Amino acid sequence: MTMSEEKNSGCRGKEEESEDESEILEESPCGRWQKRKEQVSQGNVPGIETASLAMDTEEGVEVVWNEVQFSDKKVFKSHEDRMREMFESLMHVDHPNIVKFHKYWLDTRESRARVIFITEYMSSGSLKQFLKKTKKNHKTMNVKAWKRWCTQILSALSYLHSCHPPIVHGNLTCDTIFIQHNGLIKIGSVFPEAIYGNVQHHRDDETNQHYFAPEYGLAEDVCSIDIFAFGICTLEMAVLEIQANGDTVVSKEAITNTAQSLEDPLIKEFTQSCVRMDAKKRPTAHDLLFHRVLFEVHSLKLLAAHCFINYQYQLHDNCLEEKTRTFDPSGVMAEIKHGDRPGVEIKYSNVSPLELDKFLEDVKNGIYPLMNFQRGLTMPRTLSIFQERMETVKTPSPEPQEMETRKVVQMHCNLEFTEEGTRSHLSLLLKMDDKLQRQLNCDILPTDSSKDLASELVHFAFISEEDCEKLAGFLEDALCKHWARPPLEESSLA
């Protein structure tokens, strides 16, 4: 065989292997999720036997198909209600620094019971892998990056711990924290403790034993165990790796020595406060955001960016580009005056539209969370449990009505009187946060309420519950203007 033939044979082999991995092994009961043969690693999550790559046929993106096997159906039945309750809550967890939990269902068709759930696919790798690569290249950790990572992780933990009731992650390690190419940090999905309990002695795993707080497993898990694990993560992030001196287990002595080796006194104090042996003396995630090493007064630029993102749904496409195009590059945008020396002029030419677009995108993605405010101003909504319980999968049948989780970023509507003049035709165009659009049309009467219309869209999963009030207000303004006009006059809002 010639070299050319060998090369072609190798290419064919890779293509066959790729086709083999993309083979569809199973579909969800609704047909939306398709499980592939290719296995993926999404961190060391105890209890999950397999994690396979899957396709979301509705959104056209790759996701992770996770499976948990229960060999004993009695054990499964004893945990079933609690798992349902927790999974329903997790479907409402919505935070830019937490891996998205999409869907779950229970399968009892075979002799073994299965729990299957779909999560967001993190293709960029774990924080542990990133730290290893950094150390391999003989580099040290940048303090600015360390602070940005800590803020994002604490933003996610503060969100979970502020839910009612509080959600404890329980498995926070550098393996279950993921970093994307743009610097966005996401912590792995939270899973019900019943899944962890399906695997015996997972807390005795020597590899990650040093992440577990002393009280882990001795009593009901509380938020302080996440703070301890976070402290170990921050220590590893600062030094890239905690030296175990050849042992398989990272000892308490190794952790103490590593913490003492930190040169920055504020980072040292910050880390040591998280890993205190007494759980009651550990700070909360919210308190840590106000620690001197992380706290900073947000710039006007960041505050304005968050304000822009929050009200972006009221603006039309490319409004930022159109606005900046009208500015005179030589015009003065701001001026800093000094009494004893010449002032400083900031011109529009000093601001790059491309850099501004990238900054807004980073803010929207969660890289720069806005957390340093009074408690209560940025609290997440209470996680609610659906009244309707999901049915156990016994035969392939349609899943219950899914709730919309995407956010509406822009709204446009048009109202026209019909020929009879007693009703009007409403055309509603919604742009979702994944760039896809949804167009809805219906006839309405003067007696129709904007709140009822918005609630109906939530009921039929056209919008998320979180957007209900916002859309109701938008429709109320449009309807008031429309019905005040004479018949047959066209009304358009954008």
Side-chain angles (χ1 to χ4, degrees):
M1 181 182 291
T2 64
M3 290 182 65
S4 177
E5 290 174 336
E6 288 179 359
K7 188 174 182 180
N8 292 335
S9 176
C11 291
R12 285 196 300 271
K14 288 182 179 179
E15 289 176 0
E16 290 173 0
E17 184 179 347
S18 177
E19 290 177 2
D20 189 45
E21 288 182 343
S22 62
E23 177 187 352
I24 304 300
L25 300 180
E26 187 178 353
E27 282 190 346
S28 63
C30 66
R32 175 176 176 176
W33 320 99
Q34 295 181 337
K35 176 185 175 183
R36 294 179 181 173
K37 192 172 184 180
E38 183 179 353
Q39 300 287 302
V40 295
S41 175
Q42 292 284 272
N44 181 25
V45 181
I48 298 180
E49 280 83 5
T50 60
S52 305
L53 201 62
M55 176 60 73
D56 179 350
T57 58
E58 183 175 305
E59 302 296 338
V61 297
E62 292 180 320
V63 292
V64 180
W65 175 300
N66 304 273
E67 287 188 24
V68 179
Q69 301 278 353
F70 285 80
S71 55
D72 189 339
K73 281 197 172 183
K74 291 182 179 179
V75 174
F76 173 79
K77 285 293 182 183
S78 66
H79 291 300
E80 184 175 357
D81 290 341
R82 177 58 184 156
M83 280 194 296
R84 286 180 182 275
E85 181 180 327
M86 190 62 182
F87 273 127
E88 293 287 3
S89 292
L90 293 177
M91 288 180 65
H92 288 266
V93 171
D94 184 15
H95 192 278
N97 300 115
I98 299 176
V99 172
K100 181 65 178 173
F101 185 100
H102 291 296
K103 194 71 175 175
Y104 86 96
W105 63 93
L106 310 179
D107 183 3
T108 57
R109 287 174 293 176
E110 306 295 335
S111 57
R112 292 183 176 185
R114 286 192 306 166
V115 179
I116 302 168
F117 49 97
I118 307 296
T119 56
E120 181 182 2
Y121 176 45
M122 304 300 295
S123 59
S124 298
S126 69
L127 184 60
K128 173 79 80 175
Q129 294 170 331
F130 182 87
L131 295 177
K132 283 185 176 180
K133 290 178 182 177
T134 303
K135 184 179 180 181
K136 187 177 180 181
N137 294 328
H138 306 288
K139 295 181 179 179
T140 56
M141 182 48 58
N142 180 280
V143 175
K144 189 176 180 181
W146 180 90
K147 291 181 179 181
R148 191 162 60 242
W149 292 351
C150 287
T151 303
Q152 293 182 66
I153 298 170
L154 285 173
S155 174
L157 289 180
S158 180
Y159 173 91
L160 293 174
H161 296 173
S162 300
C163 293
H164 304 285
I167 296 179
V168 179
H169 189 281
N171 189 43
L172 189 68
T173 70
C174 286
D175 284 311
T176 57
I177 299 174
F178 303 95
I179 180 170
Q180 295 186 347
H181 64 278
N182 59 356
L184 178 64
I185 289 286
K186 290 199 177 193
I187 66 174
S189 296
V190 190
F191 303 112
E193 64 272 20
I195 286 182
Y196 295 153
N198 188 39
V199 175
Q200 296 180 350
H201 310 303
H202 82 273
R203 293 178 180 178
D204 296 329
D205 180 13
E206 294 184 347
T207 307
N208 290 326
Q209 187 69 31
H210 59 295
Y211 289 102
F212 299 144
E215 71 275 13
Y216 200 135
L218 300 179
E220 186 177 351
D221 292 340
V222 291
C223 298
S224 59
I225 67 171
D226 283 344
I227 300 302
F228 185 93
F230 168 73
I232 300 298
C233 291
T234 61
L235 191 57
E236 285 191 317
M237 284 155 45
V239 300
L240 303 181
E241 183 183 17
I242 300 176
Q243 296 294 334
N245 297 323
D247 297 331
T248 56
V249 181
V250 176
S251 64
K252 294 180 181 178
E253 182 182 0
I255 294 173
T256 302
N257 293 338
T258 303
Q260 291 296 334
S261 69
L262 296 174
E263 296 180 0
D264 190 316
L266 289 179
I267 294 180
K268 182 187 294 187
E269 178 194 341
F270 179 87
T271 303
Q272 289 178 335
S273 69
C274 297
V275 296
R276 288 171 181 153
M277 292 296 106
D278 188 348
K280 295 180 180 179
K281 293 184 178 180
R282 292 177 208 144
T284 65
H286 184 269
D287 293 338
L288 287 169
L289 285 165
F290 284 86
H291 191 280
R292 289 179 296 170
V293 76
L294 293 182
F295 179 80
E296 60 182 26
V297 177
H298 290 310
S299 65
L300 181 59
K301 176 183 176 182
L302 183 59
L303 293 172
H306 275 275
C307 185
F308 181 86
I309 296 299
N310 290 338
Y311 292 95
Q312 192 176 11
Y313 70 93
Q314 297 180 345
L315 306 172
H316 62 82
D317 291 335
N318 304 321
C319 68
L320 185 63
E321 182 181 348
E322 292 176 6
K323 190 68 176 176
T324 53
R325 195 184 298 131
T326 62
F327 293 145
D328 179 8
S330 61
V332 178
M333 180 171 59
E335 184 179 3
I336 304 174
K337 294 184 177 181
H338 300 288
D340 57 342
R341 61 185 186 277
V344 178
E345 289 185 346
I346 303 174
K347 298 182 178 181
Y348 286 108
S349 58
N350 299 133
V351 181
S352 167
L354 292 178
E355 290 181 3
L356 185 58
D357 279 340
K358 182 182 183 304
F359 180 71
L360 287 170
E361 191 68 23
D362 288 344
V363 171
K364 183 179 178 181
N365 289 336
I367 296 179
Y368 302 105
L370 201 61
M371 294 296 295
N372 299 338
F373 284 98
Q374 285 183 346
R375 181 181 291 277
L377 294 183
T378 56
M379 297 287 281
R381 67 185 186 281
T382 301
L383 296 181
S384 60
I385 308 298
F386 284 153
Q387 295 298 317
E388 295 181 2
R389 297 296 184 184
M390 295 190 66
E391 296 293 332
T392 302
V393 179
K394 294 182 180 178
T395 56
S397 58
E399 289 182 311
Q401 180 68 51
E402 293 186 14
M403 300 298 290
E404 179 61 81
T405 57
R406 295 173 297 175
K407 293 182 181 179
V408 177
V409 295
Q410 286 184 12
M411 305 177 191
H412 303 278
C413 81
N414 187 66
L415 284 159
E416 296 179 352
F417 286 102
T418 58
E419 291 183 0
E420 65 224 29
T422 58
R423 63 180 65 208
S424 290
H425 185 74
L426 169 66
S427 296
L428 185 63
L429 180 65
L430 305 176
K431 184 175 181 181
M432 317 305 280
D433 58 9
D434 59 357
K435 307 280 175 70
L436 295 180
Q437 294 184 346
R438 174 166 277 166
Q439 185 165 354
L440 307 168
N441 298 279
C442 70
D443 287 338
I444 58 173
L445 296 169
T447 55
D448 286 332
S449 161
S450 60
K451 289 185 178 180
D452 290 341
L453 290 171
S455 298
E456 192 173 340
L457 293 178
V458 173
H459 176 74
F460 289 105
F462 288 121
I463 64 170
S464 68
E465 188 174 357
E466 189 175 339
D467 286 326
C468 184
E469 184 177 351
K470 181 169 65 177
L471 181 61
F474 176 75
L475 289 175
E476 181 67 22
D477 291 340
L479 292 175
C480 287
K481 294 177 181 178
H482 175 70
W483 293 119
R485 295 178 178 177
L488 301 179
E489 183 178 352
E490 185 178 287
S491 171
S492 177
L493 282 172

